[in-house]
Amino acid sequence: MTDEIRVKVNSYGPERPLALVYFDPVSGKKKAKSAGTNDWREAERLAGELERELRAGRHAPPSKVTWGQFIERYTQEKLAALRPASRKSALASLRRVERILNPDRLCKVNAAALSRFQSELRKSGVKETTVARHLRHIKAALRWAERQGMLTKAP
């Protein structure tokens, strides 16, 4: 199947950037991704890189898992096995992320968002030990989401 993956360069108009067109190996659907350039040589180079990533299985589109779905699954599948105090602390950290960052999708909780979260906590006068505790809980939750296939890479 990996030999069947081909990425082609396509033009959708003279003023528009070239597109990289391929069939998604997972869903089998035709996908188009902007090359971000009008230069055919550059687009061909990008097509080759994308083709290598698809064949190696490294390319993954952003996750469409909502924040609510993530919280629900994490609570039922992971936190249910923890002691009540640990469960309460982890949920408090995740609620704090929700209150400060208000992410609608799990993939929006990235390194930049967590940095902003950290600075907002410090601005509000939260102790460093509490900031560290929140970040530990968030890190554990995001790594769990990565292992479950909800995220391609945890920040």
Side-chain angles (χ1 to χ4, degrees):
M1 176 166 168
T2 58
D3 294 332
E4 298 173 13
I5 298 172
R6 296 275 181 248
V7 180
K8 297 181 180 177
V9 178
N10 198 357
S11 174
Y12 289 114
E15 298 298 318
R16 297 179 68 183
L18 297 170
L20 308 176
V21 181
Y22 62 97
F23 284 93
D24 186 4
V26 177
S27 67
K29 293 182 180 180
K30 188 176 185 177
K31 301 270 186 164
K33 179 180 174 181
S34 174
T37 181
N38 289 329
D39 181 23
W40 277 89
R41 286 184 63 164
E42 177 69 13
E44 287 288 343
R45 186 186 66 74
L46 292 171
E49 287 178 14
L50 179 59
E51 195 170 297
R52 278 190 295 282
E53 286 180 10
L54 288 169
R55 286 184 180 169
R58 289 189 307 259
H59 178 75
S63 173
K64 290 186 172 36
V65 176
T66 66
W67 180 256
Q69 291 170 332
F70 160 68
I71 295 295
E72 184 177 325
R73 257 189 87 185
Y74 188 65
T75 304
Q76 292 173 355
E77 296 176 23
K78 181 66 178 174
L79 295 182
L82 299 179
R83 294 187 338 249
S86 299
R87 187 178 323 134
K88 182 179 176 184
S89 181
L91 278 174
S93 295
L94 294 171
R95 278 194 220 104
R96 198 92 182 238
V97 168
E98 193 169 350
R99 204 169 38 249
I100 292 175
L101 299 178
N102 195 21
D104 56 341
R105 301 256 178 234
L106 178 59
C107 63
K108 291 189 177 176
V109 182
N110 54 23
L114 289 176
S115 178
R116 195 174 80 233
F117 172 73
Q118 198 173 355
S119 70
E120 290 294 326
L121 287 176
R122 287 188 177 115
K123 277 186 210 172
S124 65
V126 175
K127 288 190 231 174
E128 280 301 312
T129 54
T130 307
V131 171
R133 187 196 67 208
H134 285 310
L135 292 175
R136 278 194 306 274
H137 284 300
I138 295 162
K139 180 179 179 180
L142 294 177
R143 285 188 173 175
W144 177 85
E146 180 184 358
R147 286 191 305 273
Q148 300 303 311
M150 296 178 173
L151 278 176
T152 54
K153 183 79 175 115

